[in-house]
Amino acid sequence: MKKSNIKDFLLYLIVGAIATITEWVLFYLLDKCRIHYAIATTAAYILSTLVNWYMGRVLVFKENRKSVIKEILGVYTASVVGLLLNLAIMWVAVDLFDMGEMLSKIIATAIVFFYNFLVRKLLIYKPDNKEEI
């Protein structure tokens, strides 16, 4: 693995932490208002994706400048799959295993984090050259 990829991943951890805090706070507030976990998850995920996109663009993937519209469309398209994974994990944890919503959210976020990084690194912000990643 190249040093630049390790650096990108570490920076993405910071970006992910900021987006995760955004997502968890909104999810927690909506959950406390007794909003169904699927709706709370979706709303929190949409907002955290915007935070993740912006921070990722500024800190991690700054060399790969595409048009903002193209870039955000790519991020949100990939995030649909991430959201579906998130909802599926939440459903399994909450409805099948009777886990608490917040704990389920934490587990889902951890799993989907790796998917999000790989999609951004390999598809959305893929290097123009064919160097090994």
Side-chain angles (χ1 to χ4, degrees), residues 57 65-72:
R57 186 180 208 335
R65 292 293 185 202
K66 296 180 179 187
S67 80
V68 171
I69 299 297
K70 229 177 171 179
E71 185 178 331
I72 203 162

Side-chain angles (χ1 to χ4, degrees), residues 40-129:
T41 294
T42 302
Y45 197 84
I46 290 169
L47 178 62
S48 72
T49 297
L50 181 63
V51 170
N52 189 291
W53 164 75
Y54 179 75
M55 297 298 293
R57 186 180 208 335
V58 170
L59 295 175
V60 184
F61 303 112
K62 53 189 171 223
E63 299 88 27
N64 300 325
R65 292 293 185 202
K66 296 180 179 187
S67 80
V68 171
I69 299 297
K70 229 177 171 179
E71 185 178 331
I72 203 162
L73 277 173
V75 167
Y76 271 96
T77 299
S79 289
V80 168
V81 175
L83 175 59
L84 293 174
L85 286 169
N86 216 301
L87 288 169
I89 295 164
M90 291 290 294
W91 177 76
V92 168
V94 173
D95 291 337
L96 296 182
F97 292 118
D98 201 28
M99 293 172 66
E101 284 89 355
M102 197 65 218
L103 177 59
S104 301
K105 183 73 193 134
I106 291 167
I107 292 168
T109 300
I111 293 169
V112 174
F113 170 84
F114 292 100
Y115 160 79
N116 280 327
F117 176 75
L118 289 173
V119 166
R120 281 163 178 74
K121 183 72 177 171
L122 300 176
L123 298 176
I124 297 170
Y125 300 106
K126 67 182 172 198
D128 290 331
N129 56 20

Side-chain angles (χ1 to χ4, degrees), residues 14-28:
I14 295 167
V15 168
I18 293 167
T20 297
I21 290 167
T22 303
E23 182 177 6
W24 288 355
V25 167
L26 182 55
F27 178 83
Y28 178 82

Side-chain angles (χ1 to χ4, degrees), residues 26-43:
L26 182 55
F27 178 83
Y28 178 82
L29 293 173
L30 293 173
D31 187 52
K32 287 299 167 196
C33 292
R34 298 196 178 268
I35 305 292
H36 189 273
Y37 73 81
I39 295 169
T41 294
T42 302

